Amino acid sequence: MLARRRGAPLPLLLPGVLALAFLLVPLLALLVRAPWRSLPDRLTSAEVWQALQLSLVSATAATAVSLVLGVPLAWLLARTDFPGRGFVRALVTLPLVLPPVVGGVALLLALGRNGVVGQWLDSWFGITLPFTTAGVVVAEAFVAMPFLVISVEGTLRAADPRFEEAATTLGASRFTAFRRVTLPLIAPGIAAGAVLAWARALGEFGATITFAGNFPGRTQTMPLSVYLALQNDPEAAIALSLVLLAVSIAVLAGLRDRWLTGV
């Protein structure tokens, strides 16, 4: 017999309501102060569409990079044993807690023209990443990939490895078993991780402005446009923020079955 739900005790109810208000009031203020009458004109300006297009393209490219590199990394962390695996997992999750500006500085020191790796990219291949659109993709992938790796690794750990083992005993190589058996099993986890990585890449600010700069049409994404507009035209900043808010709500709606389902 199901237990009857009781009223919440006052010492828990009040802080809970305050926490809810703390999280919702700023979002409601954004909606209340939005310039609804001039919103269509502001959102159809060339600068906004330029920044939005760059944000969508760079976030999608960063997600593609995260998929190509992150899924194999998640498989290695979930399916193989090697010395220092726990330390490697900690390093993978480090960008989640690292201040984005620090991540941008680290990328400059690594991939800048005089960086540890960047100097060789420049001298050998003529590739310069900082302050370019490619630099935006690199910065966004750096901060977004851990979301995908964590999601896929968790899905892999929940999946039964005996299916892979059965495929290998029937003559399939480990890569074939991964491609034909494992990938279909973990496809929902990959999709969820890709959506989270895309949303994180779309909202990236600190690492992008530090590593790629803020050049309209080349590296100025939507978050950077919001920051710039806030200094000169607060209503334009609110309008741009509404676009990012709508994208965030769409992401949550897309993941509702995975993250928002109650028990």
Side-chain angles (χ1 to χ4, degrees):
M1 181 177 180
L2 296 177
R4 183 173 59 88
R5 293 190 177 185
R6 300 177 180 178
L10 190 61
L12 296 178
L13 179 62
L14 289 179
V17 172
L18 287 176
L20 183 62
F22 175 74
L23 295 174
L24 293 183
V25 168
L27 301 179
L28 293 176
L30 186 64
L31 296 175
V32 170
R33 293 297 181 90
W36 295 107
R37 292 184 178 180
S38 61
L39 189 62
D41 294 333
R42 293 183 181 276
L43 294 183
T44 53
S45 65
E47 295 79 5
V48 171
W49 280 105
Q50 195 175 52
L52 179 59
Q53 181 181 13
L54 179 61
S55 294
L56 295 176
V57 171
S58 59
T60 303
T63 304
V65 172
S66 299
L67 283 169
V68 172
L69 302 179
V71 173
L73 176 57
W75 186 88
L76 290 175
L77 292 175
R79 287 286 193 263
T80 62
D81 292 320
F82 55 88
R85 184 175 64 171
F87 180 69
V88 172
R89 182 180 293 110
L91 292 179
V92 170
T93 58
L94 185 60
L96 294 176
V97 296
L98 192 70
V101 174
V102 177
V105 172
L107 288 172
L108 275 176
L109 296 177
L111 301 175
R113 182 166 294 179
N114 297 319
V116 176
V117 178
Q119 59 181 330
W120 305 112
L121 292 176
D122 186 28
S123 61
W124 290 356
F125 307 104
I127 297 176
T128 302
L129 292 175
F131 310 111
T132 63
T133 303
V136 175
V137 176
V138 170
E140 292 180 350
F142 178 77
V143 300
M145 191 182 300
F147 287 87
L148 183 136
V149 173
I150 291 175
S151 177
V152 175
E153 184 189 1
T155 305
L156 279 167
R157 291 185 177 278
D160 194 340
R162 290 178 295 181
F163 292 108
E164 291 181 40
E165 297 171 0
T168 56
T169 57
L170 293 175
S173 64
R174 297 204 70 181
F175 179 71
T176 301
F178 170 77
R179 182 170 55 89
R180 301 291 296 273
V181 178
T182 307
L183 276 181
L185 286 175
I186 65 172
I190 294 177
V195 172
L196 289 175
W198 186 84
R200 180 64 184 89
L202 187 70
E204 168 52 32
F205 175 82
T208 301
I209 196 172
T210 306
F211 183 65
N214 185 18
F215 300 101
R218 190 169 64 181
T219 65
Q220 188 179 93
T221 57
M222 286 289 286
L224 273 61
S225 295
V226 171
Y227 175 77
L228 185 64
L230 188 61
Q231 304 176 38
N232 305 315
D233 190 354
E235 289 192 350
I238 295 174
L240 295 172
S241 298
L242 286 175
V243 175
L244 294 177
L245 178 62
V247 171
S248 300
I249 293 174
V251 170
L252 286 178
L255 293 175
R256 64 185 183 276
D257 292 335
R258 183 172 179 84
W259 301 110
L260 303 180
T261 302
V263 179

